[in-house]
Amino acid sequence: MTLYIGREASKLWKRVCAETTTEINLLADNWKYILTGLILQYIHGLAARGVHYLHRPGPTLQDAGFFLLPELGEDKAYISETVFTFAFLSFVMWTFHPFIFKSKKIYTVLVWCRVLAFLVASQFLRIITFYSTQLPGPNYHCREGSKLARLPHPESVFEVLLINFPRGITHGCGDLIFSSHMIFTLVFVLTYQKYGTKRCIKQLGWLIAVVQSFLIIASRKHYTVDVTVAWYTVNLVVFFLDKKLPELPDRTGGASFLLPLSTRDKDSKTKEESHKLLNGNSVDPADWRQRTQVNGKTLDDANLVHADATAMNGA
């Protein structure tokens, strides 16, 4: 038993090391996209905090979802955040599963490049909408009488730039249309829908997205319009961007093509190509046609037919 565990641990370690090398090479080529996406996430946080300074509390607007769904109450608002946290962490762990499991279909770095592109595009549209019109927040801390409903004028620029994470994110007001929680949830579900392999998990993902929508409204964190707009906007953004972005490479052929060739590998490859040329084979794997020698000359299939015709006429 000890020998078996040691052998499997050794295999797992080799797998992790090989995958880490591959992902580091990918990160070296795509770090600009990852860094840009993370910076834009920070800018989105700044925009959400900035609109909080403009927020003016008022009566809660008439909303169909508020009539249909019972109010959970301030003491049960954590349920919505718990479901979102579960979905968020589950997706993050799935994107890193190639480091451990044998069945690998994705590259972690490339998946996050696509995810960040979807998030940034959706959040850019979100910033435009919630700065266009500031609605009175329906959340409990955004209502009249709450000290958090209006932020005092900032004393310095650094006070705005720090964002006050995570409280500044969870207790924001004014950034309503459309829901940021639904942006993340739908982007994660749509990504797994395309690259995931388990059908039951795909169905569970869509179920979580629907439940999350109801919980957000029942918790009075957003109006129904915020959730509704998120559903069709995020799906449209992912649909159009997915056609523009380069597709992920297929992992069924292995990941060796992503790794740099060592000097020994390059010499071996050069010798192999020279050997193919001496045997009359093309270096291009797509054109490995056998050549035939006639009168000391190497001929391919087309020239061979011409040579046979000439020989017959001469006879």
Side-chain angles (χ1 to χ4, degrees):
M1 176 61 83
T2 304
L3 180 62
Y4 174 77
I5 295 176
R7 183 170 62 251
E8 291 301 317
S10 177
K11 291 181 181 179
L12 178 60
W13 175 248
K14 291 180 181 178
R15 189 180 308 134
V16 170
C17 291
E19 195 67 25
T20 301
T21 303
T22 302
E23 294 293 344
I24 289 177
N25 288 325
L26 285 173
L27 184 61
D29 294 334
N30 298 277
W31 67 269
K32 294 181 180 179
Y33 303 106
I34 299 292
L35 181 60
T36 302
L38 294 177
I39 292 175
L40 291 175
Q41 292 298 303
Y42 171 72
I43 293 176
H44 172 259
L46 286 180
R49 181 165 177 81
V51 79
H52 195 168
Y53 289 102
L54 303 176
H55 178 256
R56 297 296 179 266
T60 304
L61 302 179
Q62 184 174 345
D63 189 275
F66 292 179
F67 287 111
L68 298 175
L69 294 176
E71 187 172 352
L72 288 179
E74 191 172 2
D75 58 331
K76 296 181 180 178
Y78 70 91
I79 299 177
S80 173
E81 291 298 328
T82 302
V83 173
F84 174 76
T85 302
F86 171 77
F88 185 92
L89 295 179
S90 298
F91 180 80
V92 171
M93 289 190 294
W94 170 74
T95 60
F96 283 92
H97 84 274
F99 286 84
I100 299 177
F101 297 99
K102 294 181 179 180
S103 57
K104 299 174 290 187
K105 186 180 179 182
I106 63 169
Y107 294 103
T108 304
V109 171
L110 299 183
V111 164
W112 277 106
C113 284
R114 298 177 72 87
V115 168
L116 287 172
F118 299 148
L119 292 176
V120 167
S122 301
Q123 290 166 342
F124 176 75
L125 296 176
R126 180 174 187 260
I127 292 173
I128 294 176
T129 55
F130 67 64
Y131 266 104
S132 299
T133 304
Q134 288 86 48
L135 303 178
N139 210 334
Y140 302 103
H141 64 268
C142 298
R143 299 177 184 179
E144 292 180 308
S146 174
K147 296 181 180 180
L148 299 175
R150 299 180 65 175
L151 288 181
H153 188 76
E155 298 179 358
S156 64
V157 178
F158 295 102
E159 184 179 342
V160 180
L161 296 179
L162 289 178
I163 300 180
N164 189 21
F165 182 85
R167 186 174 179 81
I169 303 297
T170 58
H171 288 76
C173 297
D175 56 328
L176 294 175
I177 301 177
F178 42 97
S179 171
S180 179
H181 283 65
M182 290 308 302
I183 289 178
F184 280 90
T185 301
L186 290 172
V187 166
F188 293 163
V189 172
L190 289 168
T191 302
Y192 188 84
Q193 178 69 31
K194 182 173 183 178
Y195 298 110
T197 56
K198 304 295 183 180
R199 183 179 179 182
C200 59
I201 298 181
K202 294 180 181 180
Q203 295 172 344
L204 177 62
W206 286 112
L207 178 61
I208 290 176
V210 174
V211 172
Q212 177 74 13
S213 301
F214 291 136
L215 288 175
I216 289 175
I217 299 173
S219 301
R220 303 304 187 252
K221 295 181 178 180
H222 280 277
Y223 293 108
T224 305
V225 65
D226 306 338
V227 176
T228 303
V229 172
W231 267 94
Y232 61 74
T233 302
V234 175
N235 276 278
L236 288 174
V237 167
V238 173
F239 175 77
F240 285 108
L241 276 185
D242 189 62
K243 295 180 178 296
K244 300 295 182 180
L245 295 175
E247 189 52 76
L248 295 183
D250 186 11
R251 293 212 66 171
T252 56
S256 59
F257 74 96
L258 292 170
L259 300 177
L261 291 176
S262 62
T263 305
R264 181 179 178 181
D265 294 333
K266 290 180 179 179
D267 294 340
S268 176
K269 185 176 181 180
T270 303
K271 291 180 180 180
E272 182 181 356
E273 292 177 351
S274 301
H275 182 69
K276 292 175 182 178
L277 289 172
L278 290 175
N279 288 338
N281 290 336
S282 172
V283 176
D284 186 2
D287 190 26
W288 286 357
R289 295 173 298 179
Q290 185 69 30
R291 298 326 196 238
T292 305
Q293 291 187 351
V294 178
N295 295 331
K297 296 182 179 181
T298 302
L299 302 176
D300 56 15
D301 295 341
N303 292 332
L304 179 60
V305 173
H306 179 71
D308 290 341
T310 304
M312 291 178 64
N313 292 333

